[in-house]
Structures are given as C-alpha cells and as structure tokens.
Amino acid sequence: MAIGEFDLINRYFDRPSHQCAITRLGIGDDCALLSVPEGQHLAVTTDTMVENIHFFPDADPFCLGHKILAVNLSDLAAMGAKPVAVSLALTLPKPDPDWLEAFAQGFWQLADRYQIDLIGGDTTAGPLSITVQAMGLINEKMALRRSNAKPGDAIYITGTIGDACLALKMIEGNYQGESDAVLSRLHQPLPRVAEGLSLLGIASACVDISDGLTSDLGHILKKSGVGATLTWDALAFSSSVRNYVRITGDWKMPLIGGEDYELCFTVPLSKQSILNGLMEQMDCTKIGVIDQVPGLRIIKDNQVTSFEMQGYQHFL
Ligand code: ADP
Ligand code: MG
C-alpha cells in the first residue's frame, strides 16, 4: 500500500518526547523549539550516510537506523556532551514499509537507550541518503576539544581498533575471517557516550576514531601544535585483528582503517591517577605519548616508522 510523506512521519518517527530537559516543541511545526539550561552549551553535529558510498545497496535497514544515530552520538561523545535530541533527514527512492519499519526499529532502539528525542527532520524522494543532526548538552567550560593536548600527555584509546576495517575486508572477499563480532563492529558500532562523559575534567583533548587512528589522532596533533609517539606493543586489538596482522603482515591496517568509533584522548600527568581509578569501567588502553616534535611516529620491533596523518577523504 502506498504511503505519503506525512503518514510516514506519523507512523515511524513521531513519538512523544522523553521527559528530557530541553525539548519544548517537537515534530509537527516549521521548527522544533529547544531550551538550553543556564551554564550549558548545545553541542551540535551532523553526519550523512549515502548509498554506495557509506553502505552497500543491500544493507540491513535495522543496522542503518542504528548506525546513522551511532556515528552522530560518537561525535557528541568525543566532546563529552550528553545526547538529548536529534533531527533526521531521509531521502528514499520509495517508501517501502518493511524497510522503514526495520530502519525505525534500529533507530529507536539506540535513541531510547539514551532517552533521545527526535525533534524533526525532512523526508524527500530520491536516491537513498540518510542524515542525522544530533544535539547534546555540555557544561559551558568543560567541552573536550581537539586543541589542548600538551607534550608529556599520555595517549589512550577506548576498546580495540581495526575491527570495522577488517569487517569490510571480509565483506569484500579480501579476507576470510570467522567472526560475527567483527561484522557487528562495522554494522552496529556502539558510541562511547558514557566514556566521553567520564572523561570530562580528565582528558586534555579527545576525538572519535571515524576515519582511522592515525588520521583522527592527527587532528588532535595539528590543532594542538604537537606530535606523538605510539608504541605498537601497547595497542589494543581483538584476537581477530591480531590474527589478520599475523597472517597477512599488514600491520598498518588497524592504524589507518576507519569506522571503529572508539575514542582517542590525551591525559596530562596530573590527571593520570583519576583516570587510573576509572580504568576498570572505562575499557581503555594507554598507547603512547604526546611530544614536542611534530608528526606521528610508531615504535615497532625497535624501529621507528613515521605516519602520514591522512585517512579517507571524499573527493580525493
Ligand atoms: P516544512 O515543510 O515546514 O519544512 P515538513 O512538512 O517537511 O515541514 O515536515 C513536517 C514536520 O515533520 C516538521 O516538524 C518536520 O521537522 C517533521 N519531519 C519531516 N520529516 C521527518 C523525519 N524524517 N523525521 C522526523 N521528523 C520529520
Ligand atoms: Mg515550513
């Protein structure tokens, strides 16, 4: 049965708002209205996913609904912001109810977990493209910026890196792997929202790893005017990524591969003991140190390799 634009919005996306602090008016008018509490800033970020660029044409709609929200929440996490509201722009070739039902389920499962309101959006016909704008609250003096890393700060990552890139290699038939866990790292990344909030007042700089560790840490280095040295043996990998590196010898993959959506952050010596107290809940690993000399280096087998700090760039 055909479904029009407004029925579609009502059926899948218009839900009562959570009892959250900031939505004053949600879906249904020309604009939503938000009120930002005194002493807080509204952190705003947008990410788009386009068919054939960010996902394959047969991609599972449940996973797309999850992922478009997850990648936006990951940006909020990287600033230490608490997610509160999002808007959703959907461009669809046709309004397929099965696709929409699954997409909405994936989207709402993650949105409800963080009590996020969907406050508006846009729905148009065209080649499949999905955009979310996410908004979070952050104490006006506390945001985790990229620009404040200092020589001597320790560098950490949450979780493990390389899994999402390995999943892509498996899907493209370039590597035979075993693991559903690896595939879910690509299809259903979990944004490090709690970790970002825990790092407020501790991390000097933070970024989420969307384009690859060397690229994203590179953003911190450039903005902060510093360099870094990483230790290969300290890096945290899943057993699947470890096996991949052992079998193929391609040790750079987990450093340059994107889409892990972990956090990379720096911590000054003075805050180290506070972080140590959080280490068990935080699932994070110290991987290197910020230094004065510009550039990014990694020590592996007693040899120093310099890295280009470039990840995936559209148009290049
Ligand atoms: P306008 O034409 O004034 O921009 P629309 O008619 O496009 O508004 O949308 C009607 C209402 O539905 C608006 O409040 C808009 O924010 C909301 N909306 C449209 N598409 C979506 C969507 N995909 N998800 C959530 N809200 C949506
Ligand atoms: Mg209008």
Side-chain angles (χ1 to χ4, degrees), residues 108-130:
W108 284 113
Q109 184 176 294
L110 189 59
D112 287 342
R113 181 163 163 182
Y114 294 107
Q115 306 225 306
I116 294 168
D117 289 345
L118 176 56
I119 58 163
D122 199 19
T123 306
T124 56
L128 183 57
S129 167
I130 311 162

Side-chain angles (χ1 to χ4, degrees), residues 8 12 162 192 223:
L8 184 160
Y12 300 106
R192 294 287 190 173
K223 289 267 179 185

Side-chain angles (χ1 to χ4, degrees), residues 271-285:
K271 300 288 168 67
Q272 201 79 53
S273 60
I274 313 177
L275 181 69
N276 289 346
L278 290 175
M279 283 293 251
E280 263 186 27
Q281 308 124 271
M282 277 280 288
D283 180 21
C284 65
T285 309

Side-chain angles (χ1 to χ4, degrees), residues 132-185:
V132 159
Q133 182 175 63
M135 285 146 274
L137 290 177
I138 176 98
N139 180 293
E140 64 187 6
K141 297 193 178 67
M142 299 283 273
L144 304 173
R145 310 273 299 264
R146 296 175 173 183
S147 52
N148 199 32
K150 301 275 190 306
D153 290 0
I155 305 168
Y156 289 81
I157 53 169
T158 58
T160 62
I161 53 171
D163 301 273
C165 184
L166 182 61
L168 201 57
K169 287 183 185 296
M170 284 160 49
I171 293 166
E172 287 171 341
N174 294 324
Y175 182 72
Q176 262 20 163
E178 70 290 351
S179 168
D180 283 350
V182 169
L183 289 173
S184 87
R185 285 291 305 271

Side-chain angles (χ1 to χ4, degrees), residues 2 12 34 55 69 79 85 87 93 112 140 143 159 179 196 208 225 247 285 291 304:
Y12 300 106
L34 304 177
F55 56 89
L69 184 54
M79 299 290 284
S87 67
D112 287 342
E140 64 187 6
S179 168
D208 71 320
I247 291 164
T285 309
D291 29 52
V304 181

Side-chain angles (χ1 to χ4, degrees), residues 3 22 29 31 38 51 54 60 71 87 96 99 102 120 129 151 158 180 183 251 279 288 305 308:
I3 176 174
I22 78 163
D29 214 314
C31 295
E38 184 84 25
E51 187 176 65
H54 300 91
D60 177 352
V71 300
S87 67
D96 173 353
W99 191 96
S129 167
T158 58
D180 283 350
L183 289 173
W251 62 275
M279 283 293 251
T305 306
E308 282 287 316

Side-chain angles (χ1 to χ4, degrees), residues 5-6 9 13 26-30 88 90 118-123:
E5 177 187 339
F6 298 111
I9 296 164
F13 300 117
I27 290 176
D29 214 314
D30 293 307
L88 169 67
L90 264 183
L118 176 56
I119 58 163
D122 199 19
T123 306

